[in-house]
């Protein structure tokens, strides 16, 4: 009758095999060291002041107690890889998605950009928030990539700032290597390729690349999944539905610079008025053939009273004190 090996027998056999292989490795090393020493001793008569190499194997010895098979310590100090229990669930993929949504921060912003006859108009708010917590009212969400190109920031603040700064470096290197500025199309494609290589790793980026190159104005939307869209009018963020409502009603291609700036400013204001995650300052930039220019940065609270001034209340009936005769 053939006996079935138990867990302890298998563990002892694995330990024995490991010890044998380790002993064989040390034997090979000792033979090579002996040959090196013999070589040094034989050449001592030809070369003076020869120092014999000494090998220290103390680093190979483990002093920390590590757990191995059967939750016990192996006698030689080596252990198996650590393990953890998987959650008890029939739908592990669904559990993983729910876990990601549970720790996913609730972000909010409003950014927009559109092309008109004199270039590209770019606008954004300045509030940084996570859920109901407002951490800052003075975040710069329009990032200057180079003197002729801007990028907007929506999603994770750290992700957007880092990759826009990285894109600016690559655009400058392209300019130095090719003796000409990179096009808006090339810059947006470069960023999309970088973000595509990191998709699924937790990045949160929703940006617009707006600029002026040899072909004129350009506007692209790029996200952290590697998506890239060309268009003439975009709005990104939690307040974008409200901004789109204003843009769709007032956008025309033949707007003047002042009219386009006022449209962008009003769209940002209405988004901040309806969206609790947007607010702060409405910044407006214009990108033209001579580069970008910041046109305004107005507090949305002051914009509210400029668009809807408080009218003095009229008194219909005023009570007066009766005069006694």
């Amino acid at each position: 009758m053939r006996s079935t090996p138990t867990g302890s027998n298998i563990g002892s056999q694995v330990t024995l095999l490991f010890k044998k292989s380790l002993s064989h490795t040390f034997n090979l090393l000792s033979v090579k060291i002996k040959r090196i020493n013999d070589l040094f001793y034989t050449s001592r008569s030809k070369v003076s002041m020869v120092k014999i190499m000494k090998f220290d194997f103390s680093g190979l010895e483990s002093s920390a107690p590590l757990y191995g098979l059967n939750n016990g310590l192996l006698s030689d100090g080596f252990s198996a890889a650590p393990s953890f229990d998987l959650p008890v669930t029939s739908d592990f993929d669904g559990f993983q998605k729910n876990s990601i949504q549970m720790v996913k921060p609730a972000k909010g912003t409003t950014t927009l950009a559109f092309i008109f006859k004199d270039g590209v108009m770019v606008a954004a708010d300045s509030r940084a928030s996570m859920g109901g917590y407002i951490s800052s009212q003075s975040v710069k969400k329009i990032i200057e990539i180079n003197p002729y190109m801007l990028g907007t920031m929506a999603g994770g603040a750290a992700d957007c700032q880092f990759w826009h700064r990285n894109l600016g470096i690559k655009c400058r290197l392209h300019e130095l290597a090719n003796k000409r500025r990179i096009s808006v199309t090339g810059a947006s494609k470069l960023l999309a390729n970088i973000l595509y290589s990191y998709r699924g790793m937790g990045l949160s980026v929703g940006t617009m690349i707006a600029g002026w190159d040899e072909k004129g104005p350009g506007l692209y939307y790029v996200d952290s999944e590697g998506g890239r869209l060309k268009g003439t009018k975009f709005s990104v963020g939690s307040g974008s539905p409200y901004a789109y409502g204003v843009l769709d009603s007032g956008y025309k291609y033949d707007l003047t610079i002042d009219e386009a700036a006022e449209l962008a400013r009003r769209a940002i204001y209405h988004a901040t008025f309806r969206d609790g995650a947007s607010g702060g300052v409405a910044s407006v930039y214009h990108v033209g053939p001579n580069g970008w220019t910041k046109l305004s940065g107005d507090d949305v609270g002051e914009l509210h009273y400029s668009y809807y001034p408080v009218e003095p209340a009229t008194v219909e009936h005023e009570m007066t004190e009766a005069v006694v005769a």
Side-chain angles (χ1 to χ4, degrees), residues 33-287:
I33 293 170
K34 186 174 182 304
R35 290 180 180 176
I36 293 173
N37 289 338
D38 293 341
L39 181 63
F40 273 107
Y41 280 119
T42 54
S43 60
R44 211 169 190 178
S45 58
K46 298 181 182 179
V47 182
S48 60
M49 301 297 290
V50 177
K51 295 183 180 180
I52 306 301
M53 297 177 63
K54 294 182 179 180
F55 294 89
D56 184 14
F57 294 99
S58 61
L60 297 176
E61 299 175 358
S62 176
S63 58
L66 299 174
Y67 286 91
L69 296 172
N70 298 327
N71 293 330
L73 285 171
L74 294 179
S75 59
D76 55 2
F78 293 92
S79 70
S83 62
F84 59 91
D85 295 332
L86 293 176
V88 181
T89 176
S90 58
D91 182 14
F92 183 74
D93 292 335
F95 172 82
Q96 191 175 23
K97 291 179 180 179
N98 293 334
S99 301
I100 293 173
Q101 291 297 326
M102 182 178 66
V103 300
K104 186 177 180 180
K107 302 172 288 294
T109 187
T110 303
T111 61
L112 63 89
F114 58 87
I115 294 177
F116 66 110
K117 67 182 181 66
D118 291 322
V120 188
M121 197 63 65
V122 185
D125 73 315
S126 64
R127 175 175 292 182
S129 62
M130 190 182 76
Y133 175 71
I134 299 172
S135 60
S136 177
Q137 287 277 71
S138 58
V139 176
K140 191 176 183 180
K141 296 186 180 181
I142 300 177
I143 302 172
E144 297 92 357
I145 298 172
N146 64 30
Y148 292 83
M149 196 179 305
L150 297 172
T152 62
M153 191 170 74
D159 295 340
C160 292
Q161 288 178 350
F162 175 83
W163 289 114
H164 276 102
R165 187 165 62 246
N166 181 271
L167 178 62
I169 294 171
K170 293 183 182 300
C171 291
R172 179 58 176 159
L173 291 175
H174 179 278
E175 184 177 348
L176 292 173
N178 298 278
K179 303 294 186 287
R180 58 188 295 185
R181 292 197 318 271
I182 191 171
S183 63
V184 182
T185 302
S188 63
K189 186 62 176 177
L190 185 61
L191 179 61
N193 289 341
I194 294 172
L195 295 178
Y196 181 82
S197 64
Y198 286 93
R199 65 175 183 157
M201 298 186 185
L203 291 181
S204 177
V205 177
T207 181
M208 291 176 288
I209 304 298
W212 189 287
D213 54 22
E214 297 172 350
K215 296 182 179 180
L219 178 60
Y220 288 84
Y221 165 77
V222 180
D223 61 23
S224 51
E225 299 300 314
R228 175 173 169 266
L229 296 173
K230 181 180 181 179
T232 59
K233 181 174 54 178
F234 287 116
S235 182
V236 185
S238 58
S240 60
Y242 310 108
Y244 268 128
V246 178
L247 287 177
D248 291 338
S249 63
Y251 172 76
K252 293 183 295 183
Y253 179 77
D254 57 349
L255 292 170
T256 64
I257 294 178
D258 292 337
E259 291 173 343
E262 177 59 26
L263 176 63
R265 191 181 303 111
R266 182 179 283 271
I268 293 295
Y269 156 72
H270 279 284
T272 61
F273 186 75
R274 294 296 182 184
D275 178 36
S278 303
V281 176
S283 300
V284 181
Y285 284 72
H286 171 244
V287 187

